[in-house]
Amino acid sequence: MDNRKELPLGGVIPKGGTAHDYSTGGWRKLKPVLDTERCTNCLICWVMCPDSAVITQDGKMIGFDMEHCKGCGICAVECPDKVKAIKMEEEAG
Amino acid sequence: MAIMTKGQTGLTGNTAIAYAMKQINPDVCAAYPITPSTAIIEDFSSYVADGAVDTELITVESEHSAMSACIGAAAAGARVMTATSAQGLALMWEMLYIASGMRFPIVIANVNRALSAPINIHCDHSDSMGARDSGWIQLYSETVQEAYDNFIQAVRIAENEKVLLPVMVCFDGFITSHAIENISLLDDSEVRRFIGEYRPKHYLLDTDNPITYGAMTLQDTYIEFKHQQSQAMTRAKDVAIEVGREFGKEFGRTYGLMETYRLDDAEVAIVILNSAAGTTKVAVDELRKQGKKVGILRPRLFRPFPFREIADALKNVKAVAILDRADSMNGFGGPLFNEVRSALYELDARPRVISRIYGLGGRDYKVKDALEVFADLKKIAETGKVETLQKYITL
Ligand code: SF4
Ligand code: SF4
């Protein structure tokens, strides 16, 4: 923090989208691991992830944003029973 | 302090504050009414129902929620106000610090009432005195007129960009809140011109410029934010003086940091807040008729505490009694005593200072009580000795 005197009053953060710069991935104890063979790209995990940490490309699920995934496991639970393409594994294995 | 001008009428303190709120026409008022401040919100809700104001009145389930909703509305960019007393203020506790720390210029009327237990609904200052370190500016008011005038000035002080802090306007429960006094009201247009429009620099409803309120600050920045807040509180003193002077120029009633009454040549003095100063004035007038040099200092601004100005005003007095309508329960006098006595420490020649706790839970404080304190002070001034440093009176 270089110029502390210039800090905006009341701790307001006067611009948007700053959560992206804040790495919350370090809190994680379990990490989601994707089995691309099983995944049907239904994108339910993308909808359900509370941290917008499921990454998609061209309508396909391609992995996780590990800077922001906090390892809650919701994606693994929500992935349809017949598919179960996400497994939660110990972070420090 | 009051000069009679126009718009004379008779109102209770609560009605006058509700009327000031109507004239201010705030964007949001979130409230959970409590005795003795109930009538403020009761009257104001009639103004809302009648369409006399544009205010969004949010009725909530507790005072904690009332202050929380005020904070949310202030974050959204609204001009916000509410009213409470005693346990209500106590229940707002956690949120009082959030309001001041987030630098929201919320204005609250706190109608002073004793804190339970034992349960009591009558006047003392234990509620607002407990909140004296919550980062809120505090203005104390002797009369209905002053409560009304302070409430309008509070908006200007709070929203001043050098300040941006919440303000609590305090006046005595029942004594001032429920008694009808003469008051001179301003026109709506005068009030609106005086307070101007509120234009927050950042607000959540400004969707073109998204912001975050309430982010976490840790070891690397928290102390800087508190430093900023403390400096703003210091600046609030000059702003309160400026606003009080401008108010006087516009409407004929000038306000400063304190009121002094026959203090200039006084040998002994009483320092006292709010309505009891009026009773003390009667005692002073009686004693002055007998040639006794007695006076009063009534602080108006208690936060920020004008310690230099108060010390300066008392520097020639031989003995002074600080009367508190609240006990800090610290074993060494009430809050006003602690702070005034500490302010006097800077003087080379200090007056002797005694603490008297009076009128808790609405116990009457009479002219004879003030006369007894002045008699104690006279003895101290003559002998230079303090027999009883602190005691409860009006028992
Ligand atoms: S574990 Fe939780 S945070 Fe991480 S990707 Fe799955 S749902 Fe999102
Ligand atoms: S919910 Fe399961 S199947 Fe659907 S996209 Fe996510 S990982 Fe693939």
Side-chain angles (χ1 to χ4, degrees), chain A residues 1 3-19 22, chain B residues 101-103 161 164 202 210-215 217 219-221 224-225 228:
Chain A
M1 197 62 55
N3 206 346
R4 290 174 207 232
K5 289 219 167 85
E6 302 299 315
L7 288 174
L9 297 189
V12 67
I13 302 174
K15 58 177 182 175
T18 51
Y22 186 37
Chain B
M102 285 188 165
R103 310 293 299 275
E161 60 171 15
L164 289 174
H202 304 293
I211 55 164
T212 300
Y213 264 121
T217 68
Q219 299 94 321
D220 58 345
T221 48
E224 274 74 24
F225 287 118
Q228 285 178 342

Side-chain angles (χ1 to χ4, degrees), chain A residues 34 39-45 61 78-80 83 85-86:
Chain A
L34 176 69
C39 173
T40 61
N41 293 307
C42 71
L43 298 192
I44 288 174
C45 58
M61 153 58 164
E78 295 297 337
C79 182
V83 185
I86 301 174

Side-chain angles (χ1 to χ4, degrees), chain A residues 8-34:
Chain A
L9 297 189
V12 67
I13 302 174
K15 58 177 182 175
T18 51
H20 188 73
D21 304 332
Y22 186 37
S23 169
T24 48
W27 303 349
R28 200 171 47 239
K29 192 171 165 287
L30 297 174
K31 63 175 177 210
V33 177
L34 176 69

Side-chain angles (χ1 to χ4, degrees), chain B residues 69-386:
Chain B
C70 284
I71 290 165
R79 181 180 261 161
V80 186
M81 40 197 48
T82 186
T84 197
S85 292
Q87 309 307 122
L89 187 67
L91 191 50
M92 286 181 183
W93 217 257
E94 178 193 10
M95 304 318 290
L96 291 179
Y97 283 78
I98 311 285
S100 61
M102 285 188 165
R103 310 293 299 275
F104 292 139
I106 299 167
V107 175
I108 189 171
N110 182 66
V111 182
N112 285 113
R113 165 186 150 182
L115 282 175
S116 305
I119 194 164
N120 177 296
I121 55 168
H122 289 278
C123 173
D124 76 30
H125 303 157
S126 49
D127 51 3
S128 57
M129 279 300 161
R132 67 192 183 277
D133 292 341
S134 63
W136 284 61
I137 292 164
Q138 289 190 336
L139 289 167
Y140 285 81
S141 331
E142 180 183 332
T143 59
V144 170
Q145 180 77 68
E146 196 184 1
Y148 171 81
D149 291 347
N150 279 349
F151 200 78
I152 292 163
Q153 290 171 67
V155 176
R156 281 281 303 276
I157 299 168
E159 292 174 6
N160 185 295
E161 60 171 15
K162 286 184 267 180
V163 178
L164 289 174
L165 288 171
V167 180
M168 192 178 291
V169 175
C170 305
F171 56 97
D172 285 346
F174 290 105
I175 302 164
T176 311
S177 68
H178 284 61
I180 294 174
E181 291 178 16
N182 271 354
I183 176 171
S184 164
L185 296 169
L186 304 176
D187 292 340
D188 292 1
S189 60
E190 289 175 317
V191 172
R192 289 192 189 159
R193 189 180 32 143
F194 187 77
I195 60 170
E197 247 183 71
Y198 173 49
R199 289 201 188 81
K201 194 166 165 206
H202 304 293
Y203 56 100
L204 290 173
L205 287 183
D206 179 7
T207 47
D208 291 335
N209 301 292
I211 55 164
T212 300
Y213 264 121
M216 183 139 162
T217 68
L218 296 175
Q219 299 94 321
D220 58 345
T221 48
Y222 179 87
I223 190 170
E224 274 74 24
F225 287 118
K226 287 293 143 187
H227 186 222
Q228 285 178 342
Q229 201 183 322
S230 169
Q231 287 177 313
M233 188 54 109
T234 307
R235 288 194 293 267
K237 186 185 77 185
D238 290 335
V239 172
I241 294 172
E242 274 167 38
V243 172
R245 207 178 282 149
E246 197 188 315
F247 191 88
K249 223 164 55 190
E250 296 254 351
F251 310 124
R253 294 184 298 275
T254 301
Y255 291 90
L257 302 173
M258 64 191 92
E259 183 197 7
T260 56
Y261 186 75
R262 308 187 88 161
L263 188 65
D264 284 347
D265 64 338
E267 284 170 2
V268 300
I270 283 180
V271 178
I272 195 161
L273 291 167
N274 281 6
S275 67
T279 312
T280 313
K281 282 173 188 169
V282 177
V284 164
D285 289 345
E286 268 185 35
L287 292 170
R288 281 280 176 178
K289 267 189 223 141
Q290 302 163 24
K292 309 238 168 74
K293 293 186 168 172
V294 296
I296 299 171
L297 188 154
R298 179 178 64 84
R300 171 176 174 255
L301 189 72
F302 185 72
R303 280 290 179 275
F305 188 66
F307 56 96
R308 271 199 201 92
E309 292 79 358
I310 286 183
D312 192 57
L314 293 172
K315 66 176 184 296
N316 297 321
V317 174
K318 288 186 186 143
V320 49
I322 320 292
L323 269 64
D324 272 285
R325 204 165 200 157
D327 192 348
S328 280
M329 296 297 168
N330 63 6
F332 190 47
L336 191 59
F337 167 74
N338 277 250
E339 305 211 4
V340 174
R341 191 173 154 102
S342 167
L344 294 172
Y345 191 81
E346 286 301 308
L347 296 175
D348 294 328
R350 290 183 286 276
R352 307 311 297 257
V353 190
I354 57 170
S355 162
R356 298 290 182 263
I357 309 274
Y358 76 100
L360 302 189
R363 174 65 54 82
D364 269 345
Y365 165 81
K366 297 182 176 155
V367 175
K368 74 168 177 50
D369 299 310
L371 289 172
E372 275 169 28
V373 174
F374 277 124
D376 278 1
L377 287 173
K378 181 168 173 277
K379 224 188 278 167
I380 294 167
E382 282 164 5
T383 62
K385 283 199 184 73
V386 173

Side-chain angles (χ1 to χ4, degrees), chain A residues 63-78:
Chain A
F64 305 97
D65 167 6
M66 298 310 265
E67 285 298 313
H68 296 96
C69 165
K70 61 175 163 15
C72 65
I74 289 174
C75 53
V77 171
E78 295 297 337

